[in-house]
């Protein structure tokens, strides 16, 4: 494990890279820990053609992202939270599923580090999110709702209407295409688990950061799921580097073959809408 030290100089260089300054990079004078911080974040800051999708999960030692009653406040430690805000600051857009938007009512802004707040995208196929949700009301950035319904939204909120596949899920490829059409190159898939799983199983994630904080919750939703395998040799084993951020440990996973979907457009389990209402 390498210690990552995100000093002001490192962060300034990362923000410059995010703003497409190709010359921005590590300085000779940087320490090893500063160079490690650059390695951790530079792949997120660097622009790519089309939409470049990366996900971030903040979880406990036992892989939970909330308690069974839904308390998800600060699973991550202080440095893990800063890490999340850095991921947001390096992204053009941040995507959450409607359950996260309903349960946590997040602002999805960048507050813990200097940097721009990304556009907000909510996947809300049935139009369940009220117009009063914090992610939709703050008009300082673009706000987008991906819907399968005709529900009208407040002025200023962009609506992308996508048709679900037969299984009930909107194909993640269609969502990624819509995000690219909207001009979002660097896209953070922030959660929750269901939303990340759709992109992971479709082979659309270029990178996955799992930030582990030293607490044990015991039960509750898990941070990460994917299509199960019968044999360990078939498990997804991404090339991974591990970084220490004082209070949290970040597993930086490079998902080498985005585009090689593990599954077809529809997962084996169809979407059961009634059970979720
Ligand atoms: N620790 C962390 O890093 C972190 C980050 C984010 C969230 N969370 C936690 O995660 C929990 C919620 O996660 P979750 O997994 O239950 O739900 P979620 O991913 O937030 O939302 C899932 C819902 O979003 C919609 N959706 C997402 N992708 C879709 C697609 N491809 N096609 C159609 N609909 C799609 C569906 O809405 P419908 O149900 O309306 O059909 C789906 O049920 C909360 O407790 C939150 O606090 C933790």
């Amino acid at each position: 494990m390498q210690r990552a030290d995100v000093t002001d100089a490192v962060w300034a260089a990362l923000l410059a890279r995010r703003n497409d300054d190709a010359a921005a990079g590590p300085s000779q004078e940087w320490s090893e820990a500063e160079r490690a911080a650059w390695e951790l974040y530079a792949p997120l800051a660097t622009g790519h053609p089309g939409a470049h999708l990366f996900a971030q999960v903040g979880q406990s030692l036992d892989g939970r992202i909330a308690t069974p009653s839904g308390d998800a406040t600060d699973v991550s430690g202080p440095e893990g939270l800063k890490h999340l805000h850095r991921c947001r600051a390096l992204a053009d857009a941040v995507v959450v599923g409607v359950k996260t938007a309903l349960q946590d009512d997040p602002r999805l802004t960048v507050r813990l580090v200097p940097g721009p707040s990304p556009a907000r995208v909510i996947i809300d196929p049935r139009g369940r999110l009220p117009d009063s949700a914090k992610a939709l009301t703050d008009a300082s950035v673009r706000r987008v709702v991906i819907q399968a319904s005709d529900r009208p939204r407040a002025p200023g909120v962009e609506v992308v209407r996508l048709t679900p596949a037969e299984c009930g899920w909107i194909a993640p490829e269609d969502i990624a295409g819509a995000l690219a059409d909207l001009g979002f190159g660097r896209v953070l898939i922030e959660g929750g688990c269901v939303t990340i799983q759709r992109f992971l199983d479709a082979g659309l994630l270029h990178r996955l950061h799992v930030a582990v904080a030293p607490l044990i919750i015991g039960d509750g939703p898990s941070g990460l799921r994917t299509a199960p395998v019968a044999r360990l040799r078939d498990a997804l084993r991404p090339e991974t580097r591990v970084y220490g951020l004082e209070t949290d440990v970040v597993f930086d996973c490079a998902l080498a073959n985005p585009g090689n979907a593990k599954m077809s457009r529809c997962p084996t389990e169809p979407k059961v809408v009634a059970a979720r209402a």
Side-chain angles (χ1 to χ4, degrees), residues 30-132:
W30 285 4
S31 67
E32 212 173 301
E34 285 176 305
R35 285 175 178 276
W38 172 268
E39 277 173 24
L40 171 60
Y41 293 107
L44 313 186
T46 305
H48 300 265
H52 189 258
L53 272 50
F54 56 96
Q56 198 282 156
V57 179
Q59 65 176 41
S60 63
L61 286 173
D62 53 338
R64 314 286 177 187
I65 54 170
T67 66
S69 62
D71 182 6
T73 316
D74 297 353
V75 167
S76 299
E79 285 303 316
L81 288 174
K82 270 193 186 175
H83 172 71
L84 168 62
H85 282 237
R86 287 188 198 111
C87 291
R88 285 181 185 167
L90 297 177
D92 300 319
V94 55
V95 177
V96 294
V98 66
K99 277 195 184 169
T100 295
L102 286 169
Q103 277 179 27
D104 301 352
D105 198 14
R107 285 176 278 176
L108 302 175
T109 52
V110 174
R111 303 180 298 281
L112 302 181
V113 296
S117 290
R120 297 171 210 131
V121 180
I122 321 292
I123 307 177
D124 181 14
R126 294 182 277 159
R128 294 198 286 151
L129 190 65
D131 289 339
S132 57

Side-chain angles (χ1 to χ4, degrees), residues 150-207:
D150 287 326
R151 183 196 196 284
R153 291 287 178 182
V157 175
E158 299 168 64
V159 175
V160 174
R161 203 175 180 293
L162 294 176
T163 307
E166 267 176 32
C167 53
W169 295 100
I170 299 170
E173 294 86 347
D174 293 348
I175 298 174
L179 293 170
D181 289 347
L182 289 165
F184 301 135
R186 288 158 280 234
V187 178
L188 167 63
I189 311 294
E190 187 167 315
C193 173
V194 167
T195 299
I196 292 177
Q197 181 179 359
R198 297 272 78 80
F199 288 101
L200 183 62
D201 284 346
L204 292 173
L205 289 183
H206 289 75
R207 228 160 178 102

